[in-house]
Amino acid sequence: MDTILAMDAGGTTTRALVADRTGRVHGYGLAGSGNPVSAGLDAAMSSLVEAASRALEACAQPVSLASALIVMAGASSRMPGEQIPERLAGIGVRGPVRVESDLLGAFCSGTIRREGYALVAGTGSVAARVRAGRLDAVADGTGWLLGDAGSGYWVGHRVATAVA
């Protein structure tokens, strides 16, 4: 069966799933931080492989991975592009491996449209315009030290400052 490996490499948890082209999920796996900014390169690579391996092990029947998509904050700013396909080839990924922004991943998980807007307002905050399936413009998302006005951290910091 021809399947796709999709992963969300977060700062705390890496989630991986194996799905066929109809969208049916065949396996799901979890591991630790897959983001090299928060975990370091070696730990992030290990988490990507571990989550993917667990997703493959959870499949009821053998699958053939046609490609892989990984989304993470900062996209691939500290992840050497050539190392990811090499490591994933060791567990059976033979096709192309793409690394994209988690913001684009969030947009695509909510719609089949290739154009629109994404707004994330949680601990951090960021807004983006998507055109032709790619990030076209991004506002903020620089993190709590440099921006993210209106985020949960921003609100909490102002409350704590007012109370103090």
Side-chain angles (χ1 to χ4, degrees):
M1 176 184 328
D2 198 27
T3 58
I4 300 164
L5 173 66
M7 291 193 280
D8 178 4
T12 305
T13 305
T14 298
R15 293 171 175 80
L17 65 84
V18 176
D20 62 31
R21 296 199 182 269
T22 69
R24 181 171 174 242
V25 175
H26 296 271
Y28 181 77
L30 291 172
S33 175
N35 191 303
V37 174
S38 57
L41 181 59
D42 291 338
M45 291 298 291
S46 293
S47 290
L48 290 173
V49 171
E50 182 179 346
S53 296
R54 288 179 176 172
L56 286 166
E57 291 166 6
C59 294
Q61 57 184 326
V63 297
S64 171
L65 292 173
S67 62
L69 172 64
I70 303 166
V71 296
M72 69 175 63
S76 59
S77 62
R78 295 201 182 157
M79 185 73 81
E82 69 282 352
Q83 285 188 19
I84 299 170
E86 289 172 7
R87 294 285 297 271
L88 292 179
I91 60 167
V93 178
R94 300 291 177 238
V97 176
R98 287 184 55 184
V99 179
E100 296 286 349
S101 165
D102 61 348
L103 183 56
L104 184 60
F107 175 82
C108 292
S109 72
T111 183
I112 61 169
R113 296 181 184 262
R114 296 182 45 81
E115 304 214 356
Y117 296 89
L119 175 64
V120 177
T123 303
S125 64
V126 62
R129 180 175 58 226
V130 176
R131 286 195 179 153
R134 309 292 300 162
L135 290 177
D136 181 56
V138 177
D140 216 338
T142 55
W144 64 272
L145 281 174
L146 301 174
D148 286 4
S151 68
Y153 177 86
W154 182 87
V155 170
H157 185 260
R158 278 163 179 68
V159 168
T161 301
V163 170

